[in-house]
Amino acid sequence: LDRLSVNYHGNLSISSERVVVLNDALLQKYQTILSYSADIAIQTFPDLAVEIALDVLSSSHLEGLAFLLKPLSRNHAKAYRTAFDAAFHQKYNIPDGIKIHPHPPTEERLELFGELGLRPVMVTHPAWTVIHGSGAYLPINEYARSILLASPPVADIPGLAHIRNAFSMILPALPAQNITVRQYEKQAPTVVWDKKDNIFAFALPKPCEDHPDDQCLCWVGPSLQEAAKDYKAAQINPSKLFRAYLSCMGGDASMKSINRSSTAMDVGESTKEPPAFIGPYEMLL
Ligand SMILES: [Zn+2]
């Protein structure tokens, strides 16, 4: 029994040795119906829904409600969210007006909560399975992605043309207007590829450590790499990616190397003097 005084076991069977049976078909049927009833109750009775949410949050034993409740769909995400939001405020005595966002114990991006104006609340893994399974809350990184995608585009920014140029080589079918920089300044994510609309949304570049006073293009390379990582429709070949980067930055992307030893041979192997020709590779040193 938890707060609601619900018997999560029902009438347990007793074996011939007078041992309680905890895994028979009858118990499973009882728990399935209990889960279904709680799911319907959350959709139907807002006050009871808060009590059920509190029971989910305080379940500590394997037969508790957090382990039994399996939301049937994400169609009632709003009802679940309303119930859990009220339960969080009540359980942790958090004043109204503070936006709460739960996370499982394994969450690593805790700094994102504050950046997004959310109060993090840790819940157990079984409780998180219910909360996430109902669609009430997203994992924080997915939530941040949705915020980046919903942020308005900025008109133009140094480097955007370079990125569009690089993508015209990597994914020729992707229209340039599908690649935008958004008014989003959080630490993560830096770019999101939206599968539904086939668009890339880049966050505003972070200030450059090496050129704090200039609007430099240092963000272009790392952002292209992040974008390629996020693009799930196909794997982007790294060679292609780096060629496109080099080309969009005005470099020679023909990828023909200058062979030092053959150059030395050309000018005569016996001479000790360095070769007269200085190729692009040497110029970089
Ligand atoms: Zn820079």
Side-chain angles (χ1 to χ4, degrees):
L1 304 183
D2 284 332
R3 290 169 46 90
L4 284 168
S5 299
V6 172
N7 178 356
Y8 294 114
H9 290 122
N11 289 324
L12 291 169
S13 308
I14 306 287
S15 73
S16 55
E17 290 86 31
R18 310 293 300 162
V19 175
V20 171
V21 180
L22 282 172
N23 57 358
D24 65 350
L26 189 64
L27 177 64
Q28 282 175 12
K29 194 171 179 188
Y30 177 77
Q31 291 182 333
T32 303
I33 293 169
L34 199 60
S35 166
Y36 178 72
S37 309
D39 190 48
I40 299 291
I42 287 178
Q43 302 165 32
T44 318
F45 306 108
D47 291 344
L48 180 56
V50 178
E51 298 302 320
I52 291 172
L54 283 166
D55 243 10
V56 167
L57 294 177
S58 53
S59 286
S60 55
H61 51 93
L62 275 173
E63 292 82 34
L65 195 50
F67 296 86
L68 300 183
L69 178 53
K70 311 243 181 313
L72 292 175
S73 71
R74 297 192 166 190
N75 296 341
H76 306 285
K78 201 172 168 208
Y80 271 84
R81 191 181 169 97
T82 305
F84 275 98
D85 184 59
F88 290 133
H89 279 92
Q90 190 176 322
K91 184 174 170 68
Y92 300 104
N93 203 16
I94 297 170
D96 291 348
I98 292 180
K99 282 182 82 178
I100 296 170
H101 200 98
H103 65 84
T106 44
E107 180 57 62
E108 291 176 346
R109 309 303 306 265
L110 290 178
E111 75 287 348
L112 263 179
F113 290 80
E115 279 198 72
L116 293 163
L118 305 167
R119 169 82 62 92
V121 168
M122 190 173 84
V123 299
T124 61
H125 278 298
W128 175 252
T129 304
V130 173
I131 290 167
H132 183 224
S134 69
Y137 293 88
L138 290 170
I140 194 66
N141 64 325
E142 282 183 37
Y143 178 74
R145 288 169 67 88
S146 72
I147 299 290
L148 168 54
L149 272 175
S151 300
V154 296
D156 197 10
I157 184 170
L160 176 58
H162 298 73
I163 285 184
R164 284 178 168 171
N165 195 333
F167 268 111
S168 71
M169 283 171 261
I170 303 166
L171 302 170
L174 183 74
Q177 70 267 22
N178 284 21
I179 304 163
T180 51
V181 175
R182 305 299 180 92
Q183 195 68 49
Y184 180 88
E185 297 181 68
K186 317 298 180 214
Q187 285 301 313
T190 50
V191 56
V192 168
W193 173 64
D194 180 35
K195 184 183 179 182
K196 186 166 63 75
D197 297 323
N198 194 22
I199 58 173
F200 280 100
F202 288 84
L204 276 173
K206 313 288 174 292
C208 177
E209 284 179 18
D210 298 321
H211 313 104
D213 301 323
D214 301 316
Q215 280 201 309
C216 62
L217 300 176
C218 291
W219 68 282
V220 171
S223 296
L224 276 175
Q225 202 169 23
E226 287 297 311
K229 245 192 267 174
D230 210 56
Y231 187 68
K232 301 290 189 297
Q235 189 159 13
I236 293 176
N237 180 313
S239 304
K240 200 171 185 175
L241 177 73
F242 282 103
R243 272 201 307 279
Y245 171 62
L246 193 58
S247 174
C248 83
M249 298 302 279
D252 176 4
S254 63
M255 297 294 153
K256 299 283 192 302
S257 71
I258 310 273
N259 188 321
R260 276 186 154 194
S261 58
S262 66
T263 310
M265 294 269 284
D266 290 345
V267 296
E269 228 177 347
S270 59
T271 175
K272 296 281 183 233
E273 290 187 12
F277 176 74
I278 304 292
Y281 174 68
E282 284 83 351
M283 286 167 73
L284 287 171
L285 297 177

